[in-house]
Amino acid sequence: MTSPLKLEIDAGLAVITFNNPERANVLDLALAQAFAAAVTTVAGDKSVRTLLITAAGRQFCAGGDITVFADGSRPLPEILQELLDPVHEAMKMLTLLEIPIVCAINGAVGGGGIGFALCGDIVLAAESMKLRGGYSAIGLTPDVGGSWFVTRRAGAAKAKEVFLTNRAFPASECLAIGLVDAVHPDAHLHEAAMKLARQLAQGPAQAQARIKALINAAHHNSLHQHFDLERDNMFASGATEDGKEGIRAFIEKRPAKFQ
C-alpha cells in the first residue's frame, strides 16, 4: 500500500507532501497516523531549519473521510476520536516548532484540510485554490485548528462566514481577506514555495525562532511588556555568531553565511 504522505528532508528543509491524489488527499486514519509520525520526525531532527507542507495532485485536502463517518457499526464520536487524537497532538507539536513553516495550497481545500493549509507562518496558494468550510452542511463543527487559524488570519466575522455559509472562497478572495499571503499560477506554485522554503532554511535559525516567538506573544502582551521582550531578544540575538556574521556580511556587501 502506498503511503498517503511523503516526508523528505534535505539541506535543512523538510517537505511533507500529502500523497493520495486519487482520493483528494482525504483525511483518513492512514493520513492521520502518517502525519503524526512525520511531524514527530521533523520535531526530533535538529538539522531541520524549515518545514514546507504541500500536496500532490489537483486538491490539497478534501477534509475528513465522510464515508468512514457513515459507518453505522461504530458510534461516530468513537470514529472521530480515533481520527482526531493523533492529528491534534501532531498539530500541537507543530505549533511549538521554532522553525519557519510554509504551506503551499495546490488546489481545493475543505474541512480538516483547512487546518493543515493555514497552519504555516507563510501560506501560498495556487490560482485554482478554493477554500470551503463544509462542516455545518453535515451537522459537524471545525477541527484540526481550522476555526482558530481562519479567525486569526481573517477575523471573527469572516470565520463565521466560512464555517456557517459553507460557500467556496476562491484564491483571489482568500488573498484579499488575509487567509493566504500570496497566490501563484498553478504551474509555478511548487517552484515558488520551494524557493521561499530554501531561503528560510538558509536563514539565521535563532533569530527566526525569536521572531516567531515575539509575533506569537504579541497577541497576549501589553505594549510595554512587548518592549521589554523585544529588548531581551535583541540583546540575545546580538550575542550570537549569526548576528555578528549578518552585520559583517552587510558591511562587506556579500550574502551572509549563517550557522
Side-chain angles (χ1 to χ4, degrees):
M1 177 180 173
T2 304
S3 172
L5 179 150
K6 291 192 301 183
L7 172 61
E8 301 165 288
I9 299 175
D10 180 57
L13 173 60
V15 181
I16 289 176
T17 305
F18 299 142
N19 191 40
N20 190 10
E22 294 80 9
R23 299 198 63 225
N25 297 308
V26 69
L27 174 54
D28 56 13
L29 185 58
L31 179 59
Q33 293 173 338
F35 181 76
V39 171
T40 300
T41 298
V42 170
D45 190 335
K46 299 305 180 184
S47 74
V48 175
R49 297 162 67 94
T50 298
L51 171 63
L52 170 63
I53 300 175
T54 189
R58 299 178 63 183
Q59 297 191 58
F60 179 81
C61 178
D65 189 347
I66 298 177
T67 61
V68 174
F69 297 172
D71 178 5
S73 67
R74 300 169 62 197
L76 181 54
E78 179 182 309
I79 296 171
L80 293 171
Q81 181 177 6
E82 181 181 56
L83 179 68
L84 289 181
D85 279 358
V87 172
H88 279 198
E89 288 306 309
M91 291 296 287
K92 291 176 186 177
M93 192 182 305
L94 200 67
T95 62
L96 295 175
L97 293 181
E98 296 182 339
I99 61 175
I101 300 172
V102 178
C103 293
I105 314 172
N106 56 297
V109 58
I114 294 173
F116 293 139
L118 301 184
C119 69
D121 301 301
I122 301 176
V123 179
L124 312 181
E127 288 179 341
S128 66
M129 173 266 198
K130 291 183 179 179
L131 182 146
R132 182 175 181 270
Y135 291 98
S136 61
I138 56 173
L140 297 179
T141 50
D143 53 7
V144 196
S147 57
W148 196 93
F149 294 120
V150 172
T151 301
R152 287 300 177 110
R153 282 187 158 265
K158 278 298 175 186
K160 290 173 184 176
E161 185 178 355
V162 168
F163 293 111
L164 292 176
T165 71
N166 299 308
R167 75 173 178 88
F169 285 69
S172 58
E173 186 173 4
C174 288
L175 178 62
I177 65 177
L179 284 179
V180 304
D181 301 304
V183 174
H184 296 274
D186 287 34
H188 299 159
L189 174 66
H190 184 72
E191 179 184 357
M194 289 296 291
K195 180 179 179 180
L196 173 61
R198 288 190 179 115
Q199 173 189 329
L200 292 170
Q202 296 303 311
Q206 294 177 73
Q208 291 179 160
R210 292 188 178 104
I211 289 168
K212 283 189 61 167
L214 280 168
I215 293 169
N216 290 337
H219 292 289
H220 314 293
N221 292 337
S222 70
L223 178 58
H224 288 191
Q225 288 173 324
H226 210 73
F227 282 141
D228 292 340
L229 193 59
E230 284 190 334
R231 173 182 179 275
D232 293 344
N233 276 274
M234 179 59 90
F235 289 170
S237 296
T240 65
E241 288 303 315
D242 278 349
K244 297 170 187 176
E245 163 61 11
I247 292 170
R248 283 195 301 265
F250 181 85
I251 296 297
E252 297 168 8
K253 296 181 171 55
R254 61 172 175 80
K257 297 179 180 179
F258 296 115
Q259 292 183 359

